[in-house]
Amino acid sequence: MKGLEFIMAIKFQEIKKYLARNVRLSICFEDGYYHDYLMVSDIPDSKYDRLYVYGIGMIDAEFSMDIYSEPREQEGVMTSTRDDRIEPALEVVLYEAPREIKRSTDETLVFRDLKPYLQSFGYFSVVDRKNWSQEAYELRDDIPGKYNNMYVYGIGMENNPDIDERLKEQKFDSCKKKRMVIVLSDVR
């Protein structure tokens, strides 16, 4: 049974198709090393496909102000320069080995199998693809079980209209001003 859990673990090649195309991404590794991308399409084909998803969250990450330049080769922890800026991004943490989280199915990704990988705190908007209605939650564990059997359609990030007034007044953007968006569908 232990081997079956590993087969059913979520790999990057599976989760990549659910990531919104219009959000920045920070791909982080267990040693703290990371790569930042403006869009999922900037990730070279098959680059991380063999790695397992350890977690998905939001983070403020460094991005070049010159979006047309070749990204610098990143070695370890980077320090910001005047050519960089800090921007909110979806963070996908990848490991060589899978987490020991048993999935209910390996056919397609359903919310109950994604939920343990999501950051535990922050804000979430769960969107029903059928009618585009949404419900907001402050914590991952606040998201009710009524979504468990729904199919994952997308994972993204948007401005959070429910943030504290002090955050709204800040001139810079931050992941604290965002909420993770999980689009679900009851139809495959």
Side-chain angles (χ1 to χ4, degrees), residues 138-180:
E138 189 171 345
L139 302 172
R140 176 192 66 197
D141 290 344
D142 293 341
I143 302 172
K146 69 180 184 179
Y147 299 111
N148 282 351
N149 294 323
M150 294 181 80
Y151 300 101
V152 176
Y153 191 79
I155 305 166
M157 188 171 57
E158 68 182 6
N159 290 330
N160 184 357
D162 301 323
I163 60 170
D164 184 88
E165 287 301 319
R166 291 176 297 193
L167 282 173
K168 288 180 183 177
E169 294 172 7
Q170 289 180 349
K171 301 287 184 226
F172 58 91
D173 205 3
S174 167
C175 68
K176 293 178 182 176
K177 293 181 172 185
K178 305 292 185 189
R179 64 183 175 190
M180 187 180 297

Side-chain angles (χ1 to χ4, degrees), residues 15-33:
I15 205 72
K16 185 164 90 172
K17 65 185 170 190
Y18 298 109
L19 299 174
R21 293 182 296 238
N22 62 341
V23 297
R24 291 176 176 87
L25 295 168
S26 184
I27 306 298
C28 185
F29 307 96
E30 57 191 300
D31 61 1
Y33 187 73

Side-chain angles (χ1 to χ4, degrees), residues 3-127:
L4 182 60
E5 288 179 24
F6 291 161
I7 292 171
M8 295 174 64
I10 299 173
K11 283 191 170 184
F12 184 72
Q13 68 187 29
E14 179 182 10
I15 205 72
K16 185 164 90 172
K17 65 185 170 190
Y18 298 109
L19 299 174
R21 293 182 296 238
N22 62 341
V23 297
R24 291 176 176 87
L25 295 168
S26 184
I27 306 298
C28 185
F29 307 96
E30 57 191 300
D31 61 1
Y33 187 73
Y34 61 92
H35 295 148
D36 295 332
Y37 298 94
L38 289 177
M39 294 181 279
V40 72
S41 61
D42 293 337
I43 299 172
D45 288 340
S46 305
K47 183 161 185 166
Y48 309 113
D49 287 357
R50 66 178 180 76
L51 298 174
Y52 293 94
V53 174
Y54 194 81
I56 301 171
M58 297 183 301
I59 191 169
D60 289 328
E62 296 174 78
F63 290 89
S64 173
M65 290 174 56
D66 180 4
I67 63 170
Y68 299 106
S69 66
E70 178 90 15
R72 293 187 310 274
E73 185 61 34
Q74 301 170 352
E75 294 294 331
V77 177
M78 289 179 48
T79 57
S80 183
T81 69
R82 63 186 169 105
D83 297 327
D84 295 330
R85 64 179 177 213
I86 304 297
E87 295 288 341
L90 276 180
E91 178 182 47
V92 180
V93 181
L94 301 176
Y95 276 41
E96 291 280 337
R99 287 178 69 184
E100 292 190 28
I101 299 174
K102 185 177 178 184
R103 278 179 70 173
S104 58
T105 177
D106 64 348
E107 294 174 16
T108 189
L109 189 59
V110 293
F111 183 69
R112 72 174 164 268
D113 295 334
L114 174 66
K115 188 175 180 179
Y117 293 91
L118 299 177
Q119 66 188 25
S120 59
F121 58 90
Y123 291 91
F124 299 87
S125 176
V126 179
V127 178

